Amino acid sequence: MTNHSETTGSHENGDIPGPRHPDRAPQGSPGDEQQVTLRTPAELADALPYLLGYRPEDSIVLAALRDRDGRGRFGGRARLGIPANPDDWAGAAGQLVHGLVTGSERRGARPEQMVAYLCQEPGPGETGREVMERLRPLAQKLRVECGALDVPVVEALCISAGRFWSYCCDEEACCPAEGLPMGLPGTSVVAAAATYAGIQVRGTLRELRARMLPREDAAAAEQTAALDAAAATLVSRILDAAGRAEVAEETLGTAERVMRRLAAAPPVSGVPAEDLRDDHLLGHEEAAALILGLQDRTTRDRAAAWMEGDEAAPAMRLWRALARRCVGPYGEHAAAPLTLAGWVAWSTGDELEAREALAMALGADPDYLFARLLHQACNEGLDPESVRRCLREGRKGGAGTGSGNPGGDGRGGAAVQGEQDERSSTPPPDRRRRSHVPAPRSAASAHGVRRRARAHARQPGAAIVRPRTPSGGDRPGTARTDRTRPRPSRAAATGRHDTRPHAAGRGESAADGDGERP
């Protein structure tokens, strides 16, 4: 999957009584009011989903610990996909540990201890214990890297096949060789405290991504045909100054109609049923017109103003639905709806989905500037209110109707840029003067659109995104072999930054930094 960061819970999780046993990891708390003491490996294993807000898969997870007034406190958390090649484990361990420690230091809370988790399900013919033994060298590398920074690992756990093992304890009485079964979800003291504090644990990241991945059913061919037909008529209009303004109004008008339709739809039970309902409420032609219309950055920025109040929920559903419609050769076009989904999620306080959607947007198009800026701002812990304020002002003034900022990336990108300049010393990604209009699938038509777009882009004030010939087989959130993935501006990347190993396990090149709820 893509390189990305994701929300992993607050680094200010409340005071927790100090540990009874100095050789066992201190404890966590799911909220500022409720205190829960964690003393055993079983309690630490059960607490992991509540520390992250989801159930990790194929993951290395580090949880920083520090002391305050004699009370242990969980600090930042960082997650990284387990590299498939053991030769990459040392680099991944060093990158993850260094990133989390330096990220915590930037926030003024250097870790004093660390808890490490290795989560991976058995492969075909493999047992959980075999997974634990296979990953033992990785656990040792994590301990060595932490020790080199004077941050001892007080507990290292492997979770696999519904059981857990401790790499730090060999006492048969408490940590038998066959491992111990995980408790039933939702039955522990940690689960009760988390429920009391209002903390919800989602499923897995795979389930979250599935809501925004392109459809692979029989309707995908119909959607592709609708996108082809829309591209044949809309591209030339978007490249024309007068036509561009008309397409923008048509796009936003269609989006508003669909959002009202989604808001009025009767509720259904379950996430898959909700997404299926939304798919049925969005026609192929409507989806195609919206996807292509949103490739214009000023239109996209105007749509980004639906980020709060009663508009946020239907807008989020629409952006997810459009991302699912970017099928076949139109995978790159998902960058716009995925970025909008990430922005709405961040604006409404859902940093987990925000980071995932923005990472998938960069997987669809690594050069998509608005996604890069939002992703970095979210990882930096910046306040989205500055972007909201900018979008509100633009909405009141009717900005963004076809003029755009020459060489910029629309008001949304400018807002994030301004906030970065004010609160972060990290230099922003380079701005590019480029266009982003979808190309028809026919080679002759695509060549003509590219030629006209290049000529248009050389004109002063051009604010169209360059047309691209979609790459067959590309999917949002999947690694691309023909292009270099952008890297964050800081080398070390956890603690609200990306951590990017050279390889990752089980088809996932994801590296997730510690994201923290405010």
Side-chain angles (χ1 to χ4, degrees):
M1 303 302 291
T2 60
N3 294 302
H4 61 283
S5 293
E6 61 202 30
T7 303
T8 54
S10 174
H11 71 293
E12 295 296 334
N13 267 4
D15 294 332
I16 310 147
R20 183 173 296 176
H21 305 292
D23 60 341
R24 190 63 69 208
Q27 28 300 339
S29 161
D32 292 332
E33 299 294 334
Q34 189 75 16
Q35 297 182 7
V36 178
T37 301
L38 307 179
R39 298 190 180 91
T40 68
E43 292 170 338
L44 284 170
D46 184 75
L48 179 58
Y50 302 97
L51 294 175
L52 300 180
Y54 62 93
R55 302 187 184 280
E57 301 173 297
D58 293 338
S59 300
I60 311 167
V61 179
L62 290 179
L65 301 165
R66 66 180 188 276
D67 178 80
R68 193 180 75 177
D69 300 329
R71 296 176 179 270
R73 173 180 287 241
F74 274 109
R77 274 83 80 192
R79 191 203 76 93
L80 190 67
I82 297 177
N85 188 344
D87 293 340
D88 296 321
W89 287 357
Q95 193 172 15
L96 187 64
V97 172
H98 184 269
L100 178 55
V101 171
T102 55
S104 298
E105 288 176 337
R106 282 194 297 270
R107 293 188 297 272
R110 191 180 195 278
E112 298 174 4
Q113 296 174 322
M114 203 80 76
V115 176
Y117 299 86
L118 299 179
C119 308
Q120 190 173 82
E121 289 305 299
E126 192 176 29
T127 66
R129 182 174 179 178
E130 289 171 340
V131 172
M132 181 271 293
E133 292 295 348
R134 176 167 54 80
L135 296 180
R136 186 182 291 276
L138 175 55
Q140 181 60 24
K141 294 180 188 301
L142 289 169
R143 297 174 73 178
V144 170
E145 292 291 342
C146 288
L149 296 178
D150 294 325
V151 183
V153 174
V154 294
E155 186 59 273
L157 300 175
C158 177
I159 300 175
S160 181
R163 305 181 75 84
F164 69 89
W165 291 260
S166 171
Y167 291 113
C168 297
C169 177
D170 56 3
E171 297 180 13
E172 188 68 20
C174 65
C175 299
E178 66 273 15
L180 291 171
M182 298 286 293
L184 292 175
T187 61
S188 66
V189 174
V190 174
T195 302
Y196 178 79
I199 297 175
Q200 295 181 348
V201 175
R202 305 194 188 190
T204 64
L205 291 180
R206 185 177 303 160
E207 294 168 343
L208 181 60
R209 294 180 189 120
R211 306 193 70 183
M212 297 178 282
L213 285 173
R215 297 168 58 175
E216 294 182 342
D217 53 16
E222 298 177 13
Q223 185 62 68
T224 301
L227 285 162
D228 289 343
T233 59
L234 290 180
V235 168
S236 59
R237 293 179 62 198
I238 295 176
L239 291 175
D240 176 74
R244 178 168 170 248
E246 293 175 357
V247 172
E249 296 305 323
E250 293 169 5
T251 301
L252 296 172
T254 300
E256 289 178 326
R257 286 196 306 274
V258 176
M259 286 169 55
R260 288 194 295 269
R261 191 185 310 156
L262 295 174
V268 295
S269 177
V271 168
E274 291 176 356
D275 291 342
L276 184 61
R277 173 204 57 197
D278 292 348
D279 286 339
H280 288 160
L281 293 171
L282 180 62
H284 294 309
E285 290 74 17
E286 285 179 321
L290 288 171
I291 289 169
L292 296 177
L294 289 172
Q295 303 307 306
D296 172 47
R297 65 178 177 228
T298 52
T299 305
R300 175 209 65 199
D301 288 349
R302 291 174 63 189
W306 300 320
M307 75 288 187
E308 57 189 345
D310 295 337
E311 296 173 328
M316 187 69 184
R317 290 164 58 187
L318 175 58
W319 307 144
R320 287 197 202 106
L322 291 179
R324 294 193 294 269
R325 299 298 186 94
C326 294
V327 296
Y330 290 89
E332 251 183 17
H333 295 64
L338 285 169
T339 301
L340 290 170
W343 159 238
V344 174
W346 185 34
S347 176
T348 55
D350 187 351
E351 292 190 9
L352 175 58
E353 185 159 7
R355 292 168 195 239
E356 194 62 31
L358 292 170
M360 292 175 70
L362 292 174
D365 181 357
D367 296 326
Y368 205 72
L369 183 56
F370 194 23
R372 291 172 61 191
L373 292 172
L374 287 174
H375 196 221
Q376 183 175 356
C378 187
N379 287 341
E380 290 282 352
L382 305 184
D383 187 354
E385 176 57 26
S386 62
V387 187
R388 286 194 294 260
R389 184 169 56 249
C390 183
L391 290 170
R392 290 190 203 106
E393 293 171 355
R395 191 173 188 177
K396 290 177 182 178
T401 311
S403 57
N405 292 335
D409 194 60
R411 296 185 61 83
V416 180
Q417 180 67 62
E419 180 73 358
Q420 283 183 318
D421 292 343
E422 180 178 339
R423 297 183 56 182
S424 172
S425 60
T426 304
D430 294 336
R431 291 184 175 270
R432 291 181 173 86
R433 185 188 301 267
R434 59 191 191 93
S435 349
H436 198 281
V437 179
R441 296 177 71 200
S442 114
S445 298
H447 177 73
V449 171
R450 285 196 297 272
R451 179 162 36 80
R452 282 178 290 164
R454 283 196 296 269
H456 181 83
R458 286 191 286 268
Q459 298 173 8
I464 307 293
V465 182
R466 60 181 168 82
R468 298 170 175 264
T469 301
S471 301
D474 287 351
R475 298 175 61 183
T478 59
R480 297 172 55 87
T481 59
D482 59 332
R483 301 172 65 172
T484 301
R485 187 172 306 285
R487 295 184 177 272
S489 54
R490 296 189 184 184
T494 44
R496 295 191 178 272
H497 293 270
D498 288 351
T499 53
R500 306 194 176 193
H502 297 293
R506 297 183 183 263
E508 181 179 335
S509 60
D512 311 322
D514 99 329
E516 297 152 355
R517 295 184 184 91

